[in-house]
Amino acid sequence: MPAQPSPLAVPPPPPSARSSAPGPRVPATTGPAVLLVTGFVLLSLNTRVVFGQLGPLAPVAGFGTGSLTLLGLLPPLCMGLFAPLAVTVRRRLGEERGLFWASALLLAGAVLRVLGLPGLFIGTVLVGIATAVVNVLIPVFVRSRFAPRRTGVMTGVYALSMGAGSALVAASMVPVWESSGHSWRTAVALAIVPAALAAAGIAPQLRHAGGEVGPEPVRVRVLGGRDKGLAWSLIGYFGLQTLLFYTTLAWLPAILVEAGVAEATAGAMQSLFILGVAAGGFLTPVLAAARTDQRRHLLAVLLLCGLGYAGLLAAPATLPAVWALVLGAGLGGGQAVVGVLYVKRGRDQDHVAALSTVAQTGGYLIAATGPVAASVLHTVTGTWAVPLLVFLGVLLLSGAASLRAGRG
């Protein structure tokens, strides 16, 4: 009997639909589905690992405030500036090759980060560039390589794996720092392992990469005409949600330590926060993808975030684990659901790529201001209460910005 295709994968197009011209491409899924899913999970596990390392180390490793602020600024700044690079990468290499070489660059950045403070900065920049490419290509990869009914599940798997990998490494930071004689380089070196696994995991998909492409990219204009409102809504929602995510990721341990939480406990709360990110990042897109209209899911995200910030403001040292988990679930859901919005609102793979590119370019540039602005507010006011109140205001703005993108 002939082999049956995997229900996860997109079947190959009929011969009449195949073309070497640029544009939507659905590769034949002749390889085992297990390799596809395994590679996707390993890539996802690695995508945010390095960004969650310094939060737990910040209270104990002796990094200066200026260094921590800059290291919090670099990831979203690089991801915003270099998101348009993914368009060129996709045209010249395709999604599979693009993801592989981005993984290789991320591995190089992870290695550089252990070579002292200059290497930490340079490596973070390389990781930010690589992640910018991965961020844009992943929604296109999901749409082209998985069946439409699996969009929400695979977007959720991406977010869950991303959060789980980051949480596992973040939870290891302080124990490794202590066991290595207080060496932050040894702790940071843990990121090399998932980076190497990600590159190895996605490598088998290189055989599915498309053949020749046309000389010109398919250009989809989304900042004008009928797509203008949708594009700006995505930029505003994603930018403000990402600003809150990276600012919280950078400063949550410091907020808790100032409130009287022990340094080791504050580092553990960072890991709980990332676990919440993983849980919310999985559930929200799975639920949202089953609906045509996602506004109720966006509202649920805002309510969870609001509860978490209110808890940190009112009783940070009383129930820090609850606030960390709730806030993580809200911010994780807000980060992940936007992937569903790209796929649901996109007419084809090129349109998905265009929406993803403009939203992440503008969104990450907005987000880059968050860690610095929070640090300045804290320095000027001498308390984290004022930044937390501002975060609640940003939540309201993100809710207003999301209405167009969430409407089916």
Side-chain angles (χ1 to χ4, degrees), residues 116 149 178 237 244 271 321 351-352:
R149 67 182 182 277
E178 291 175 342
Y237 173 72
L244 293 172
S271 298
H351 194 215
V352 171

Side-chain angles (χ1 to χ4, degrees), residues 139 142-143 148 150-156 158-159 234 281-294 297-298 333-346 352 355 405-406:
V142 168
R143 174 145 179 165
R150 303 290 182 182
T151 295
V153 172
M154 297 316 297
T155 302
Y158 172 61
L234 285 168
F282 176 73
L283 290 174
T284 306
V286 170
L287 296 173
R291 301 279 184 174
T292 302
D293 191 302
Q294 284 76 39
H297 304 92
L298 298 174
Q335 288 284 287
V337 74
V338 74
V340 173
L341 299 180
Y342 301 148
V343 174
K344 287 285 190 180
R345 304 296 176 261
V352 171
L355 290 173

Side-chain angles (χ1 to χ4, degrees), residues 8 21-22 49 74 93 141-142 158 240 267 274 286 317 324 383:
L8 279 174
V49 161
L74 284 175
L93 302 178
F141 185 78
V142 168
Y158 172 61
L240 294 172
I274 298 173
V286 170
T383 176

Side-chain angles (χ1 to χ4, degrees), residues 76-309:
L77 181 63
C78 289
M79 286 188 281
L81 290 175
F82 291 96
L85 177 65
V87 176
T88 301
V89 170
R90 179 174 176 251
R91 178 174 72 89
R92 294 183 179 275
L93 302 178
E95 291 93 49
E96 291 82 4
R97 290 193 186 105
L99 289 172
F100 173 77
W101 287 111
S103 297
L105 181 62
L106 202 154
L107 174 59
V111 172
L112 276 176
R113 279 166 55 90
V114 307
L115 303 179
L117 200 57
L120 187 62
F121 286 109
I122 296 170
T124 300
V125 169
L126 292 184
V127 169
I129 295 171
T131 306
V133 174
V134 172
N135 286 341
V136 173
L137 294 186
I138 280 291
V140 188
F141 185 78
V142 168
R143 174 145 179 165
S144 66
R145 296 300 303 274
F146 296 98
R149 67 182 182 277
R150 303 290 182 182
T151 295
V153 172
M154 297 316 297
T155 302
V157 167
Y158 172 61
L160 176 64
S161 302
M162 183 168 56
S166 185
L168 180 62
V169 173
S172 305
M173 287 296 96
V174 173
V176 171
W177 174 79
E178 291 175 342
S179 63
S180 62
H182 297 177
S183 170
W184 66 261
R185 296 187 191 185
T186 303
V188 167
L190 284 181
I192 295 173
V193 176
L197 290 174
I202 203 67
Q205 301 310 314
L206 291 174
R207 63 177 175 162
H208 294 285
E212 306 232 347
V213 295
E216 293 294 332
V218 173
R219 304 182 189 280
V220 181
R221 186 168 180 246
V222 296
L223 286 177
R226 64 172 176 163
D227 289 326
K228 181 170 64 174
L230 171 61
W232 283 111
S233 179
L234 285 168
I235 290 170
Y237 173 72
F238 180 69
L240 294 172
Q241 278 288 310
T242 306
L243 179 151
L244 293 172
F245 175 77
Y246 279 99
T247 305
T248 306
L249 189 67
W251 296 115
L252 178 61
I255 293 170
L256 293 174
V257 168
E258 186 177 276
V261 177
E263 292 177 345
T265 302
M269 294 306 100
Q270 177 87 334
S271 298
L272 283 179
F273 167 74
I274 298 173
L275 281 175
V277 169
F282 176 73
L283 290 174
T284 306
V286 170
L287 296 173
R291 301 279 184 174
T292 302
D293 191 302
Q294 284 76 39
R295 283 176 293 183
R296 68 178 65 182
H297 304 92
L298 298 174
L299 176 61
V301 162
L302 296 178
L303 291 175
L304 281 174
C305 293
L307 178 60
Y309 284 128

